[in-house]
Amino acid sequence: DDITLGAAIKAQLSTRDDQDYFKLTATSSGILSVAMDVPTDSSLYEYFTLGLFDAAGNNLGQYQTGQ
């Protein structure tokens, strides 16, 4: 899904292996800040990974959270 910088988006987990991808276009260089709320009361989904990829699919950075 395409997203707009500064706009909030919502997604949900369907299965343990669910992956969601979002696309944004940066119009200039700078800092990209991303905030992700994860459930704290889930027994099934304890690990979350947030990655940033360039247009060629190269991983530019990754953050993992969970037990």
Side-chain angles (χ1 to χ4, degrees):
D1 296 334
D2 288 344
I3 59 173
T4 302
L5 291 174
I9 58 170
K10 288 187 178 185
Q12 70 181 53
L13 299 172
S14 299
T15 66
R16 184 175 186 87
D17 298 321
D18 182 29
Q19 296 182 5
D20 294 315
Y21 292 89
F22 300 94
K23 176 184 174 184
L24 62 91
T25 301
T27 57
S28 64
S29 62
I31 296 172
L32 175 66
S33 297
V34 177
M36 181 173 135
D37 290 329
V38 296
T40 57
D41 61 350
S42 174
S43 61
L44 292 177
Y45 308 107
E46 298 171 344
Y47 298 93
F48 299 90
T49 302
L50 177 65
L52 179 64
F53 299 86
D54 65 13
N58 298 308
N59 188 334
L60 302 177
Q62 186 168 295
Y63 175 75
Q64 292 182 320
T65 186
Q67 296 183 2

